[in-house]
Amino acid sequence: MSAHSHEIEEGLAFLPKFDAAGLVTVVATDFATGDVLMVAHMNDEALRKTIATGEAWYFSRSRNALWRKGETSGQIQRVLEMRTDCDQDAVWIRVEQIGAACHTGRRSCFYRKVEGEGGGAKLVFTGAERLFDPNDVYKK
């Protein structure tokens, strides 16, 4: 193990490893239940704002823009704990989710399970009730 690897894996310095696009993958879970709410990305600015404000900020790859979770919908995430994995290329935030985490209006983005079927796979809705109508919130 190189000195740099040792520092990243065992040291106390937070040294996030961003990918070629300048992003790090973030998994958000509900602090109370442990449910996975969403997977998104942060750039350096989103990560710094999240740490500074205690609210989740992300970087939208599709919009190429920084955004605060809930800025449009009101469905904010209060970050209660942040962790990084062993090589610091992924971040896990444990949050208090106010309302729905998913832009579809659902509590979690993981509202369908994959089931095997005839050598293939199909999706089955589970926990798919909407907490809000995205058409009303996002004016689509």
Side-chain angles (χ1 to χ4, degrees), residues 43-124:
N43 63 3
D44 182 62
E45 184 179 6
L47 192 55
R48 283 188 282 106
K49 283 181 176 264
T50 298
I51 293 167
T53 66
E55 290 188 2
W57 285 77
Y58 296 104
F59 185 83
S60 169
R61 295 178 299 172
S62 61
R63 295 187 312 251
N64 196 34
L66 189 71
W67 58 284
R68 181 178 57 85
K69 180 69 176 158
E71 66 187 330
T72 301
S73 68
Q75 315 292 304
I76 67 167
Q77 291 177 340
R78 287 195 186 100
V79 179
L80 301 178
E81 181 178 71
M82 179 183 287
R83 296 186 187 195
T84 190
D85 70 337
C86 56
D87 55 3
Q88 299 198 40
D89 66 355
V91 172
W92 172 24
I93 57 174
R94 298 176 66 204
V95 304
E96 175 188 16
Q97 177 66 54
I98 309 302
C102 187
H103 73 279
T104 66
R106 295 175 174 94
R107 174 97 179 126
S108 169
C109 294
F110 294 88
Y111 54 87
R112 295 172 293 179
K113 65 180 175 177
V114 179
E115 292 185 350
E117 181 180 81
K122 68 176 183 171
L123 298 177
V124 177

Side-chain angles (χ1 to χ4, degrees), residues 5 8 16-17 26 28 31 33 52 106 110 116 123 128:
S5 294
I8 288 178
K17 187 172 156 187
V26 179
F31 188 84
T33 67
R106 295 175 174 94
F110 294 88
L123 298 177

Side-chain angles (χ1 to χ4, degrees), residues 29-48:
T29 63
D30 184 283
F31 188 84
T33 67
D35 291 343
V36 177
L37 299 173
M38 57 183 281
V39 175
H41 298 89
M42 289 182 182
N43 63 3
D44 182 62
E45 184 179 6
L47 192 55
R48 283 188 282 106

